[in-house]
Amino acid sequence: MTNHAILDQTVHQDLRVRVDAGADLGDGVMATLTVPSEFRNIQGHFPILFRREAGQDQFFAVALLGFESGENLFLDGARWDAGYRPLSLAIQPFLVGRPASGDGPAQVHVDLAHPRIASGDEGVRLFDAAGLATPYLEEIAGKLGDLDLGYRQSAAFFDALVAHDLLEPFTLEVTLDDGSVNSLVGFHIIDEAKLRALDPAAVGKLHEDGHLMPIFMALASLSQLRPLVDRKNRRRRHG
């Protein structure tokens, strides 16, 4: 269940948010949404894969964090074991909302039922004693803006990938050191052969539209699959 509300400096004057990591705080996921404008930051830490919901045509991108449902191999108890935290996780329990009419500026909403909503003196305050946004809230607002803009701009990127047939189905079967097998199905990756075969005009248009760099970042991110398997093996060995 969720309980979304527009963030209000009067109503939520004393609201605090937990900023530590934890599976019970929403971090226990095997993949999390990312957007093309974030790929540069993502690719040095996590594989970037593409998928679409059943029955839907539109693709979206995810940062892969594990191989099984609910598994985040970058979560070590209450410690986030990576040099970067994807925006879609970093902004919780906040989200961007807009008026029902669809017009007007974006609004910061908060999910009051989210497990990151703190009780007592836990967590970080959103507003100071004068009712002004704390540095934490200002940072969150910036990340929300980046994620929202990236999401709204992403449709053109995915349309370009589909138009050039640059996505190919991807299945990964990982045999771990203990002999167990993990399989990834239902994902897509950039088809490098088709990318190389594009004529100069098509490549130029992708570059002009700002799509070429995130394509290269997504391809580069696949080098993170092996380290992710290594994390899985270490997790198995140490329980």
Side-chain angles (χ1 to χ4, degrees):
M1 296 292 291
T2 59
N3 180 17
H4 295 174
I6 299 174
L7 190 64
D8 183 278
Q9 65 186 54
T10 301
V11 176
H12 303 122
Q13 168 74 43
D14 298 321
L15 195 67
R16 291 174 177 262
V17 170
R18 291 184 59 180
V19 296
D20 48 324
D24 59 335
L25 297 176
D27 294 327
V29 292
M30 70 169 282
T32 191
L33 178 77
T34 183
V35 290
S37 57
E38 190 187 20
F39 285 4
R40 183 188 292 272
N41 291 327
I42 291 287
Q43 61 85 28
H45 305 278
F46 320 102
I48 298 169
L49 303 179
F50 303 91
R51 69 178 309 162
R52 52 187 169 192
E53 299 291 355
Q56 300 293 319
D57 293 329
Q58 187 68 50
F59 280 92
F60 59 95
V62 296
L64 188 68
L65 309 176
F67 295 103
E68 303 176 59
S69 178
E71 176 184 68
N72 183 344
L73 295 170
F74 297 90
L75 189 61
D76 183 10
R79 184 173 71 94
W80 182 261
D81 187 26
Y84 181 76
R85 189 174 177 82
L87 290 173
S88 57
L89 291 181
I91 54 89
Q92 294 180 358
F94 303 96
L95 59 156
V96 172
R98 285 184 168 78
S101 65
D103 299 323
Q107 304 161 324
V108 176
H109 287 214
V110 59
D111 179 5
L112 296 172
H114 197 279
R116 286 196 174 277
I117 299 299
S119 58
D121 293 331
E122 290 182 321
V124 176
R125 291 190 64 163
L126 306 182
F127 300 99
D128 63 20
L132 301 176
T134 61
Y136 166 71
L137 182 55
E138 291 179 348
E139 180 183 357
I140 285 293
K143 290 178 178 179
L144 278 171
D146 290 343
L147 185 60
D148 181 55
L149 178 61
Y151 180 76
R152 288 187 287 114
Q153 292 176 339
S154 65
F157 174 76
F158 294 118
D159 287 346
L161 296 185
V162 172
H164 293 289
D165 195 24
L166 290 178
L167 291 172
E168 63 172 334
F170 175 69
T171 299
L172 178 67
E173 190 168 278
V174 178
T175 301
L176 300 174
D177 292 347
D178 63 4
S180 62
V181 176
N182 280 219
S183 297
L184 277 180
V185 296
F187 293 96
H188 288 69
I189 60 174
I190 300 292
D191 188 327
E192 190 168 353
K194 288 184 178 177
L195 178 63
R196 289 179 181 275
L198 289 178
D199 61 64
V203 173
K205 186 68 166 72
L206 287 172
H207 174 63
E208 179 184 336
D209 293 340
H211 303 323
L212 204 54
M213 185 60 74
I215 286 174
F216 289 151
M217 293 297 104
L219 282 170
S221 78
L222 297 180
S223 65
Q224 302 302 329
L225 283 169
R226 183 68 249 177
L228 192 62
V229 173
D230 292 342
R231 283 177 177 268
K232 179 74 170 179
N233 277 318
R234 289 196 298 271
R235 186 70 57 93
R236 285 295 181 93
R237 284 196 300 269
H238 300 298

